[in-house]
Amino acid sequence: MSVQANIDLQAFNTLATPSRAQWYAPLREAKDFAAAWQFARQHQEPLLVLGGGSNVVLGERLPGLVLHQLCQGREILLEDESSVTVAVAGGENWHQFVHWSISQGWAGLENLALIPGSVGAAPIQNIGAYGAEVGGFIERVLARDLNTGEGLQLSRDECAFGYRDSVFKRDLSDQLLIETVVFKLPRQAEPDVSYPALAAYCAEHGLVSPTPLDVFNAVLAIRTSKLPDPARVPNVGSFFKNPQLTEAELEALLIKFPQLPHYARAAGASVPAAWLIEACGFKTLQSEPVRVHGRHALVVINPDKQSATTVRRFAARIQSAVAERFGILLEQEPRNYG
Ligand SMILES: Cc1cc2nc3c(=O)[nH]c(=O)nc-3n(C[C@H](O)[C@H](O)[C@H](O)COP(=O)(O)OP(=O)(O)OC[C@H]3O[C@@H](n4cnc5c(N)ncnc54)[C@H](O)[C@@H]3O)c2cc1C
């Protein structure tokens, strides 16, 4: 591995913003981290970890050294009648790992099929879709401390998973390189198809007791029909989190906006950010260079590969419009760098 200077990252981020890394190191083997870390230390450069680039907004110039996590490998650590424990390298492609786990006959990850990005990034925002979240299947995370270069382990509890959230976005934000994620997957589990879009698909296709493979295929079909393929239309999936409201906040809003959709959560309720954005008229603004997707108002698209500045300006317009109309501040999901 050699550290390279002034590397173009436009092809390494799915929003396709023009971006150059001052320094760049592809990590293909475990030993590559030590060499890159030494380089950063010698040159006193900050470190930034990049996976599949599907949840970042990259500015034109990224100072410091970008560590591109590309390490591959899967190892079964433990198998018994009810579960399997498998360690997966952080640079593995998430969807390929899910596909492999389902084809082994294991259950659990079927609802999370086709989420772009790497295994190492999955714990960062506790990726979730169709009523499931990855955190429940993670046993532990093996990482490197970017400050000291030392290895450490975090148990599931220490990861403090929440809705699109974890300790990696809070106390340990940008402090670690996740090298390996250890999953504990059930051998048999009834898939959860309670999420409305999934339930509707199963009903429509006569899937009465769907297997994990049926659900995996259903999720592929639904996602492909709804979400733009970032390889063709640059995007980072949902650009904002769904706001989480207390019951009192929800009740106050429902007085003004009785048609506001809402879903009960453990504490309070969640409202769909897509609905709020659409209600502010953003779906009709289809001639803007950066805009929301015509079928999904939560997905900001960047077809002309505009800069991060243009994307951020458009996102700020959405935030102000939603704040003004509904009094809700939408929280951006992808991380800003540079
Ligand atoms: C079309 C589309 C659909 C999507 N759908 C969903 C969805 O349904 N649910 C969902 O939760 N997300 C979704 N996403 C967002 C994205 O796919 C996930 O957040 C994914 O986990 C990001 O992985 P990545 O490897 O691309 O991370 P990157 O974008 O490279 O990085 C994201 C963050 O994680 C950090 N990071 C990445 N790898 C590591 C590592 N090994 N160690 C430490 N830090 C790391 C980065 O520094 C950065 O802060 C979608 C994105 C797209 C484009």
Side-chain angles (χ1 to χ4, degrees):
M1 191 278 312
S2 63
V3 173
Q4 300 156 41
N6 193 26
I7 291 296
D8 187 353
L9 299 179
Q10 194 167 28
F12 295 154
N13 78 94
T14 65
L15 199 55
T17 56
S19 178
R20 296 195 87 85
Q22 184 186 359
W23 301 105
Y24 169 87
L27 308 183
R28 294 202 170 82
E29 298 175 73
K31 67 177 171 49
D32 292 341
F33 172 78
W37 188 81
Q38 282 300 346
F39 177 95
R41 187 136 248 225
Q42 258 168 24
H43 295 77
Q44 298 194 325
E45 295 289 1
L47 292 165
L48 161 64
V49 181
L50 185 66
S54 64
N55 212 18
V56 286
V57 181
L58 301 184
E60 284 178 37
R61 182 133 192 88
L62 293 191
L65 171 58
V66 170
L67 301 176
H68 200 181
Q69 174 55 292
L70 301 170
C71 290
Q72 304 290 303
R74 300 166 192 164
E75 188 188 353
I76 295 171
L77 302 179
L78 208 66
E79 278 188 272
D80 62 26
E81 277 170 23
S82 60
S83 66
V84 55
T85 304
V86 56
V88 187
E92 287 263 349
N93 174 275
W94 172 257
H95 174 68
Q96 282 167 15
F97 162 58
V98 173
H99 190 193
W100 176 75
S101 74
I102 299 293
S103 63
Q104 300 293 309
W106 308 332
L109 302 179
E110 54 276 1
N111 297 40
L112 304 176
L114 215 60
I115 297 180
S118 60
V119 165
I124 304 286
Q125 72 155 4
N126 183 22
I127 54 170
Y130 300 97
E133 287 180 340
V134 75
F137 301 98
I138 291 178
E139 196 185 71
R140 59 185 190 275
V141 165
L142 279 59
R144 290 265 159 201
D145 186 321
L146 296 179
N147 300 305
T148 63
E150 278 166 19
L152 70 157
Q153 279 197 37
L154 288 99
S155 66
R156 180 192 302 166
D157 282 352
E158 287 169 322
C159 292
F161 291 121
Y163 165 65
R164 300 290 189 277
D165 197 28
S166 73
V167 73
F168 309 110
K169 287 181 85 172
R170 293 180 179 273
D171 296 359
L172 296 178
S173 174
D174 295 322
Q175 302 294 306
L176 302 178
L177 167 76
I178 294 180
E179 291 190 310
T180 304
V181 183
V182 179
F183 298 89
K184 187 168 181 184
L185 302 176
R187 282 194 173 279
Q188 270 166 0
E190 203 157 303
D192 177 1
V193 290
S194 56
Y195 192 86
L198 202 47
Y201 183 96
C202 290
E204 201 184 315
H205 291 81
L207 297 168
V208 183
S209 318
T211 62
L213 180 61
D214 290 334
V215 176
F216 173 86
N217 286 325
V219 169
L220 294 198
I222 300 170
R223 290 187 74 103
T224 316
S225 70
K226 280 201 177 153
L227 291 168
D229 176 0
R232 289 191 294 122
V233 184
N235 76 86
V236 281
S238 303
F239 205 90
F240 299 102
K241 291 184 179 186
N242 288 324
Q244 311 296 299
L245 306 181
T246 63
E247 272 171 33
E249 287 168 336
L250 178 68
E251 272 170 33
L253 266 171
L254 284 172
I255 294 170
K256 274 177 87 183
F257 306 99
Q259 69 284 37
L260 177 72
H262 52 279
Y263 307 99
R265 304 247 341 154
S270 163
V271 296
W275 189 90
L276 304 173
I277 296 168
E278 201 172 336
C280 291
F282 282 94
K283 246 192 183 176
T284 59
L285 300 179
Q286 287 301 316
S287 52
E288 301 275 328
V290 174
R291 51 189 181 267
V292 300
H293 189 257
R295 268 177 294 155
H296 203 321
L298 196 48
V299 178
V300 169
I301 58 171
N302 186 21
D304 301 330
K305 304 187 178 180
Q306 300 277 322
S307 69
T309 309
T310 309
V311 173
R312 288 171 188 158
R313 210 176 284 139
F314 182 70
R317 268 173 65 194
I318 293 180
Q319 281 171 318
S320 329
V322 169
E324 201 172 302
R325 178 121 191 243
F326 298 102
I328 294 176
L329 181 63
L330 289 181
E331 194 184 331
Q332 184 175 317
E333 192 184 291
R335 302 283 306 275
N336 280 320
Y337 293 105

